[in-house]
mmCIF file with all atom_site columns, all heavy atoms in Angstrom:
data_model
loop_
_atom_site.group_PDB
_atom_site.id
_atom_site.type_symbol
_atom_site.label_atom_id
_atom_site.label_alt_id
_atom_site.label_comp_id
_atom_site.label_asym_id
_atom_site.label_entity_id
_atom_site.label_seq_id
_atom_site.pdbx_PDB_ins_code
_atom_site.Cartn_x
_atom_site.Cartn_y
_atom_site.Cartn_z
_atom_site.occupancy
_atom_site.B_iso_or_equiv
_atom_site.pdbx_formal_charge
_atom_site.auth_seq_id
_atom_site.auth_comp_id
_atom_site.auth_asym_id
_atom_site.auth_atom_id
_atom_site.pdbx_PDB_model_num
ATOM 1   N N   . ALA M 1 414 ? -24.076 2.773   -35.972 1.00 0.00 ? 553 ALA M N   1
ATOM 2   C CA  . ALA M 1 414 ? -23.024 2.371   -35.032 1.00 0.00 ? 553 ALA M CA  1
ATOM 3   C C   . ALA M 1 414 ? -23.570 1.515   -33.891 1.00 0.00 ? 553 ALA M C   1
ATOM 4   O O   . ALA M 1 414 ? -22.793 0.928   -33.138 1.00 0.00 ? 553 ALA M O   1
ATOM 5   C CB  . ALA M 1 414 ? -22.341 3.614   -34.466 1.00 0.00 ? 553 ALA M CB  1
ATOM 6   N N   . VAL M 1 415 ? -24.900 1.457   -33.754 1.00 0.00 ? 554 VAL M N   1
ATOM 7   C CA  . VAL M 1 415 ? -25.486 0.727   -32.618 1.00 0.00 ? 554 VAL M CA  1
ATOM 8   C C   . VAL M 1 415 ? -25.350 -0.799  -32.723 1.00 0.00 ? 554 VAL M C   1
ATOM 9   O O   . VAL M 1 415 ? -25.027 -1.458  -31.724 1.00 0.00 ? 554 VAL M O   1
ATOM 10  C CB  . VAL M 1 415 ? -26.977 1.142   -32.433 1.00 0.00 ? 554 VAL M CB  1
ATOM 11  C CG1 . VAL M 1 415 ? -27.692 0.232   -31.455 1.00 0.00 ? 554 VAL M CG1 1
ATOM 12  C CG2 . VAL M 1 415 ? -27.045 2.580   -31.946 1.00 0.00 ? 554 VAL M CG2 1
ATOM 13  N N   . PRO M 1 416 ? -25.565 -1.426  -33.887 1.00 0.00 ? 555 PRO M N   1
ATOM 14  C CA  . PRO M 1 416 ? -25.537 -2.897  -33.929 1.00 0.00 ? 555 PRO M CA  1
ATOM 15  C C   . PRO M 1 416 ? -24.225 -3.515  -33.438 1.00 0.00 ? 555 PRO M C   1
ATOM 16  O O   . PRO M 1 416 ? -24.245 -4.560  -32.786 1.00 0.00 ? 555 PRO M O   1
ATOM 17  C CB  . PRO M 1 416 ? -25.755 -3.207  -35.419 1.00 0.00 ? 555 PRO M CB  1
ATOM 18  C CG  . PRO M 1 416 ? -26.457 -2.022  -35.953 1.00 0.00 ? 555 PRO M CG  1
ATOM 19  C CD  . PRO M 1 416 ? -25.930 -0.853  -35.196 1.00 0.00 ? 555 PRO M CD  1
ATOM 20  N N   . GLY M 1 417 ? -23.113 -2.864  -33.751 1.00 0.00 ? 556 GLY M N   1
ATOM 21  C CA  . GLY M 1 417 ? -21.803 -3.416  -33.335 1.00 0.00 ? 556 GLY M CA  1
ATOM 22  C C   . GLY M 1 417 ? -21.734 -3.691  -31.850 1.00 0.00 ? 556 GLY M C   1
ATOM 23  O O   . GLY M 1 417 ? -21.618 -4.854  -31.420 1.00 0.00 ? 556 GLY M O   1
ATOM 24  N N   . PRO M 1 418 ? -21.832 -2.635  -31.009 1.00 0.00 ? 557 PRO M N   1
ATOM 25  C CA  . PRO M 1 418 ? -21.766 -2.882  -29.568 1.00 0.00 ? 557 PRO M CA  1
ATOM 26  C C   . PRO M 1 418 ? -22.913 -3.745  -29.055 1.00 0.00 ? 557 PRO M C   1
ATOM 27  O O   . PRO M 1 418 ? -22.755 -4.485  -28.082 1.00 0.00 ? 557 PRO M O   1
ATOM 28  C CB  . PRO M 1 418 ? -21.830 -1.474  -28.950 1.00 0.00 ? 557 PRO M CB  1
ATOM 29  C CG  . PRO M 1 418 ? -22.300 -0.576  -30.021 1.00 0.00 ? 557 PRO M CG  1
ATOM 30  C CD  . PRO M 1 418 ? -21.926 -1.193  -31.319 1.00 0.00 ? 557 PRO M CD  1
ATOM 31  N N   . LEU M 1 419 ? -24.058 -3.689  -29.754 1.00 0.00 ? 558 LEU M N   1
ATOM 32  C CA  . LEU M 1 419 ? -25.207 -4.477  -29.329 1.00 0.00 ? 558 LEU M CA  1
ATOM 33  C C   . LEU M 1 419 ? -24.918 -5.978  -29.480 1.00 0.00 ? 558 LEU M C   1
ATOM 34  O O   . LEU M 1 419 ? -25.127 -6.762  -28.546 1.00 0.00 ? 558 LEU M O   1
ATOM 35  C CB  . LEU M 1 419 ? -26.426 -4.083  -30.177 1.00 0.00 ? 558 LEU M CB  1
ATOM 36  C CG  . LEU M 1 419 ? -27.781 -4.320  -29.541 1.00 0.00 ? 558 LEU M CG  1
ATOM 37  C CD1 . LEU M 1 419 ? -27.967 -3.463  -28.301 1.00 0.00 ? 558 LEU M CD1 1
ATOM 38  C CD2 . LEU M 1 419 ? -28.899 -4.049  -30.543 1.00 0.00 ? 558 LEU M CD2 1
ATOM 39  N N   . VAL M 1 420 ? -24.409 -6.340  -30.658 1.00 0.00 ? 559 VAL M N   1
ATOM 40  C CA  . VAL M 1 420 ? -24.098 -7.754  -30.916 1.00 0.00 ? 559 VAL M CA  1
ATOM 41  C C   . VAL M 1 420 ? -23.011 -8.235  -29.951 1.00 0.00 ? 559 VAL M C   1
ATOM 42  O O   . VAL M 1 420 ? -23.133 -9.283  -29.303 1.00 0.00 ? 559 VAL M O   1
ATOM 43  C CB  . VAL M 1 420 ? -23.656 -7.956  -32.384 1.00 0.00 ? 559 VAL M CB  1
ATOM 44  C CG1 . VAL M 1 420 ? -23.104 -9.352  -32.597 1.00 0.00 ? 559 VAL M CG1 1
ATOM 45  C CG2 . VAL M 1 420 ? -24.825 -7.685  -33.315 1.00 0.00 ? 559 VAL M CG2 1
ATOM 46  N N   . VAL M 1 421 ? -21.940 -7.434  -29.832 1.00 0.00 ? 560 VAL M N   1
ATOM 47  C CA  . VAL M 1 421 ? -20.842 -7.822  -28.933 1.00 0.00 ? 560 VAL M CA  1
ATOM 48  C C   . VAL M 1 421 ? -21.353 -7.891  -27.498 1.00 0.00 ? 560 VAL M C   1
ATOM 49  O O   . VAL M 1 421 ? -20.990 -8.798  -26.731 1.00 0.00 ? 560 VAL M O   1
ATOM 50  C CB  . VAL M 1 421 ? -19.667 -6.817  -29.056 1.00 0.00 ? 560 VAL M CB  1
ATOM 51  C CG1 . VAL M 1 421 ? -18.596 -7.115  -28.018 1.00 0.00 ? 560 VAL M CG1 1
ATOM 52  C CG2 . VAL M 1 421 ? -19.069 -6.874  -30.452 1.00 0.00 ? 560 VAL M CG2 1
ATOM 53  N N   . GLY M 1 422 ? -22.233 -6.946  -27.147 1.00 0.00 ? 561 GLY M N   1
ATOM 54  C CA  . GLY M 1 422 ? -22.788 -6.930  -25.800 1.00 0.00 ? 561 GLY M CA  1
ATOM 55  C C   . GLY M 1 422 ? -23.581 -8.183  -25.498 1.00 0.00 ? 561 GLY M C   1
ATOM 56  O O   . GLY M 1 422 ? -23.443 -8.764  -24.419 1.00 0.00 ? 561 GLY M O   1
ATOM 57  N N   . VAL M 1 423 ? -24.387 -8.640  -26.460 1.00 0.00 ? 562 VAL M N   1
ATOM 58  C CA  . VAL M 1 423 ? -25.177 -9.859  -26.259 1.00 0.00 ? 562 VAL M CA  1
ATOM 59  C C   . VAL M 1 423 ? -24.246 -11.065 -26.097 1.00 0.00 ? 562 VAL M C   1
ATOM 60  O O   . VAL M 1 423 ? -24.422 -11.892 -25.191 1.00 0.00 ? 562 VAL M O   1
ATOM 61  C CB  . VAL M 1 423 ? -26.152 -10.069 -27.449 1.00 0.00 ? 562 VAL M CB  1
ATOM 62  C CG1 . VAL M 1 423 ? -26.780 -11.451 -27.395 1.00 0.00 ? 562 VAL M CG1 1
ATOM 63  C CG2 . VAL M 1 423 ? -27.244 -9.005  -27.430 1.00 0.00 ? 562 VAL M CG2 1
ATOM 64  N N   . LEU M 1 424 ? -23.231 -11.146 -26.955 1.00 0.00 ? 563 LEU M N   1
ATOM 65  C CA  . LEU M 1 424 ? -22.288 -12.262 -26.863 1.00 0.00 ? 563 LEU M CA  1
ATOM 66  C C   . LEU M 1 424 ? -21.557 -12.247 -25.522 1.00 0.00 ? 563 LEU M C   1
ATOM 67  O O   . LEU M 1 424 ? -21.358 -13.281 -24.882 1.00 0.00 ? 563 LEU M O   1
ATOM 68  C CB  . LEU M 1 424 ? -21.269 -12.187 -28.007 1.00 0.00 ? 563 LEU M CB  1
ATOM 69  C CG  . LEU M 1 424 ? -21.817 -12.428 -29.416 1.00 0.00 ? 563 LEU M CG  1
ATOM 70  C CD1 . LEU M 1 424 ? -20.738 -12.178 -30.455 1.00 0.00 ? 563 LEU M CD1 1
ATOM 71  C CD2 . LEU M 1 424 ? -22.341 -13.863 -29.539 1.00 0.00 ? 563 LEU M CD2 1
ATOM 72  N N   . LEU M 1 425 ? -21.179 -11.039 -25.104 1.00 0.00 ? 564 LEU M N   1
ATOM 73  C CA  . LEU M 1 425 ? -20.467 -10.894 -23.827 1.00 0.00 ? 564 LEU M CA  1
ATOM 74  C C   . LEU M 1 425 ? -21.373 -11.266 -22.656 1.00 0.00 ? 564 LEU M C   1
ATOM 75  O O   . LEU M 1 425 ? -20.936 -11.914 -21.704 1.00 0.00 ? 564 LEU M O   1
ATOM 76  C CB  . LEU M 1 425 ? -19.997 -9.435  -23.701 1.00 0.00 ? 564 LEU M CB  1
ATOM 77  C CG  . LEU M 1 425 ? -18.890 -9.142  -22.693 1.00 0.00 ? 564 LEU M CG  1
ATOM 78  C CD1 . LEU M 1 425 ? -17.659 -9.985  -22.962 1.00 0.00 ? 564 LEU M CD1 1
ATOM 79  C CD2 . LEU M 1 425 ? -18.524 -7.664  -22.737 1.00 0.00 ? 564 LEU M CD2 1
ATOM 80  N N   . TRP M 1 426 ? -22.623 -10.881 -22.766 1.00 0.00 ? 565 TRP M N   1
ATOM 81  C CA  . TRP M 1 426 ? -23.594 -11.204 -21.725 1.00 0.00 ? 565 TRP M CA  1
ATOM 82  C C   . TRP M 1 426 ? -23.741 -12.713 -21.584 1.00 0.00 ? 565 TRP M C   1
ATOM 83  O O   . TRP M 1 426 ? -23.744 -13.259 -20.480 1.00 0.00 ? 565 TRP M O   1
ATOM 84  C CB  . TRP M 1 426 ? -24.932 -10.544 -22.064 1.00 0.00 ? 565 TRP M CB  1
ATOM 85  C CG  . TRP M 1 426 ? -26.050 -10.903 -21.129 1.00 0.00 ? 565 TRP M CG  1
ATOM 86  C CD1 . TRP M 1 426 ? -27.110 -11.714 -21.380 1.00 0.00 ? 565 TRP M CD1 1
ATOM 87  C CD2 . TRP M 1 426 ? -26.204 -10.457 -19.779 1.00 0.00 ? 565 TRP M CD2 1
ATOM 88  N NE1 . TRP M 1 426 ? -27.920 -11.811 -20.292 1.00 0.00 ? 565 TRP M NE1 1
ATOM 89  C CE2 . TRP M 1 426 ? -27.386 -11.047 -19.274 1.00 0.00 ? 565 TRP M CE2 1
ATOM 90  C CE3 . TRP M 1 426 ? -25.455 -9.631  -18.951 1.00 0.00 ? 565 TRP M CE3 1
ATOM 91  C CZ2 . TRP M 1 426 ? -27.835 -10.826 -17.987 1.00 0.00 ? 565 TRP M CZ2 1
ATOM 92  C CZ3 . TRP M 1 426 ? -25.908 -9.404  -17.657 1.00 0.00 ? 565 TRP M CZ3 1
ATOM 93  C CH2 . TRP M 1 426 ? -27.080 -9.999  -17.186 1.00 0.00 ? 565 TRP M CH2 1
ATOM 94  N N   . ARG M 1 427 ? -23.821 -13.392 -22.734 1.00 0.00 ? 566 ARG M N   1
ATOM 95  C CA  . ARG M 1 427 ? -23.953 -14.861 -22.699 1.00 0.00 ? 566 ARG M CA  1
ATOM 96  C C   . ARG M 1 427 ? -22.693 -15.494 -22.115 1.00 0.00 ? 566 ARG M C   1
ATOM 97  O O   . ARG M 1 427 ? -22.763 -16.442 -21.319 1.00 0.00 ? 566 ARG M O   1
ATOM 98  C CB  . ARG M 1 427 ? -24.214 -15.394 -24.115 1.00 0.00 ? 566 ARG M CB  1
ATOM 99  C CG  . ARG M 1 427 ? -25.628 -15.067 -24.590 1.00 0.00 ? 566 ARG M CG  1
ATOM 100 C CD  . ARG M 1 427 ? -25.832 -15.455 -26.024 1.00 0.00 ? 566 ARG M CD  1
ATOM 101 N NE  . ARG M 1 427 ? -25.602 -16.861 -26.269 1.00 0.00 ? 566 ARG M NE  1
ATOM 102 C CZ  . ARG M 1 427 ? -25.646 -17.439 -27.461 1.00 0.00 ? 566 ARG M CZ  1
ATOM 103 N NH1 . ARG M 1 427 ? -25.941 -16.700 -28.515 1.00 0.00 ? 566 ARG M NH1 1
ATOM 104 N NH2 . ARG M 1 427 ? -25.437 -18.715 -27.607 1.00 0.00 ? 566 ARG M NH2 1
ATOM 105 N N   . GLN M 1 428 ? -21.553 -14.958 -22.523 1.00 0.00 ? 567 GLN M N   1
ATOM 106 C CA  . GLN M 1 428 ? -20.273 -15.477 -22.000 1.00 0.00 ? 567 GLN M CA  1
ATOM 107 C C   . GLN M 1 428 ? -20.192 -15.276 -20.481 1.00 0.00 ? 567 GLN M C   1
ATOM 108 O O   . GLN M 1 428 ? -19.792 -16.177 -19.745 1.00 0.00 ? 567 GLN M O   1
ATOM 109 C CB  . GLN M 1 428 ? -19.123 -14.721 -22.693 1.00 0.00 ? 567 GLN M CB  1
ATOM 110 C CG  . GLN M 1 428 ? -17.738 -15.138 -22.276 1.00 0.00 ? 567 GLN M CG  1
ATOM 111 C CD  . GLN M 1 428 ? -17.295 -16.411 -22.936 1.00 0.00 ? 567 GLN M CD  1
ATOM 112 O OE1 . GLN M 1 428 ? -17.527 -17.487 -22.379 1.00 0.00 ? 567 GLN M OE1 1
ATOM 113 N NE2 . GLN M 1 428 ? -16.693 -16.313 -24.104 1.00 0.00 ? 567 GLN M NE2 1
#
Side-chain angles (χ1 to χ4, degrees):
Chain M
V554 169
L558 205 64
V559 170
V560 173
V562 169
L563 292 174
L564 198 56
W565 175 253
R566 288 174 59 184
Q567 180 79 270

